[in-house]
Amino acid sequence: DTAVSQTPKYLVTQMGNDKSIKCEQNLGHDTMYWYKQDSKKFLKIMFSYNNKELIINETVPNRFSPKSPDKAHLNLHINSLELGDSAVYFCASSPRVIAGRETQYFGPGTRLLVL
Amino acid sequence: GQQVMQIPQYQHVQEGEDFTTYCNSSTTLSNIQWYKQRPGGHPVFLIQLVKSGEVKKQKRLTFQFGEAKKNSSLHITATQTTDVGTYFCAPHQGGSEKLVFGKGTKLTVNP
């Protein structure tokens, strides 16, 4: 019944490794997002997809590569993990991309710790 | 670009006291949303304000949008321990496809 789900919930890994986080929404929404929340709780958008098309790509290192196989899924792959990548990553979705007027529904978050 | 300031960054109150967080933008906004994040949880949508001078209430929570649509506030009357969390404003500027979240106000309530 979870509207926006993410896996895994926790991820502990070594520097230099490659990891993926998966996100799925069963709300029938067209738009999905990835946010990064650092230790100071700052919430910053990383990417947004609308109907599998990339529409927002903030200044994010190209080690981060999102992929949307269909509009219900948005995955995030991270290559060569660095200490500074440690954060909570939230997936979110909204009904449409209509410029910031749509409520965003957040997943439970993936807590990534890079050692 | 759009500059958003949310104050205060932290607020500690005794249960029963009132609490207010403010969100100020350097530019005129199209609309603004407010979210609450409980400790260890994820942001949850509270409300959206669109009209100049708009005031909306949800039980003990009162949300206001400034006349110039550059600032907004969230006021909680008689705080309870269940109000604990971080409150984020998410102002939106017309023409942009993204929300820019404020840095949040972390509220702690002493029972």
Side-chain angles (χ1 to χ4, degrees):
Chain A
D1 290 302
T2 305
V4 182
S5 59
Q6 293 179 230
T7 54
K9 192 172 182 181
Y10 298 96
L11 187 51
V12 181
T13 188
Q14 297 288 329
M15 216 165 42
N17 284 350
D18 302 340
K19 290 294 178 185
S20 291
I21 307 172
K22 296 186 176 182
C23 179
E24 176 181 2
Q25 54 94 3
N26 62 7
L27 297 166
H29 290 171
D30 285 345
T31 311
M32 296 184 74
Y33 311 80
W34 276 113
Y35 286 87
K36 178 181 180 181
Q37 186 171 49
D38 62 22
S39 58
K40 293 183 179 179
K41 299 295 186 184
F42 300 158
L43 195 60
K44 290 185 180 177
I45 190 165
M46 300 173 69
F47 302 102
S48 175
Y49 271 75
N50 183 57
N51 253 324
K52 302 191 297 177
E53 182 183 346
L54 181 66
I55 56 169
I56 294 174
N57 185 349
E58 290 296 286
T59 310
V60 177
N62 57 17
R63 297 183 295 103
F64 290 78
S65 53
K67 283 194 180 148
S68 182
D70 55 64
K71 74 174 191 177
H73 296 85
L74 180 61
N75 304 323
L76 183 65
H77 187 75
I78 315 170
N79 288 327
S80 303
L81 278 155
E82 299 178 358
L83 295 177
D85 298 332
S86 296
V88 182
Y89 292 84
F90 286 103
C91 176
S93 72
S94 65
R96 292 158 302 202
V97 72
I98 298 174
R101 288 203 172 206
E102 299 286 316
T103 301
Q104 299 200 7
Y105 296 81
F106 284 79
T110 295
R111 286 144 186 85
L112 171 65
L113 177 60
V114 182
L115 302 174
Chain B
Q2 182 182 340
Q3 299 288 328
V4 176
M5 182 175 290
Q6 190 173 352
I7 53 172
Q9 194 173 350
Y10 302 96
Q11 185 77 60
H12 181 79
V13 299
Q14 288 293 125
E15 191 172 20
E17 290 181 342
D18 292 356
F19 157 77
T20 305
T21 173
Y22 301 90
C23 187
N24 300 307
S25 171
S26 58
T27 58
T28 302
L29 302 171
S30 172
N31 57 284
I32 189 166
Q33 297 180 4
W34 285 91
Y35 289 77
K36 176 185 178 181
Q37 184 177 16
R38 293 182 188 273
H42 58 276
V44 174
F45 174 81
L46 293 176
I47 209 153
Q48 176 166 264
L49 304 171
V50 179
K51 299 177 184 175
S52 167
E54 189 170 15
V55 178
K56 287 188 177 180
K57 292 191 175 185
Q58 289 179 352
K59 296 183 181 178
R60 293 177 296 103
L61 277 60
T62 301
F63 303 83
Q64 288 190 302
F65 203 8
E67 293 289 342
K69 298 183 74 172
K70 285 189 174 183
N71 53 65
S72 180
S73 64
L74 157 58
H75 179 82
I76 303 179
T77 304
T79 54
Q80 300 175 359
T81 54
T82 52
D83 295 325
V84 163
T86 301
Y87 292 85
F88 293 96
C89 66
H92 174 246
Q93 188 175 8
S96 170
E97 291 177 337
K98 63 183 181 183
L99 289 177
V100 176
F101 282 80
K103 292 183 178 178
T105 296
K106 183 176 179 180
L107 172 66
T108 53
V109 180
N110 207 26

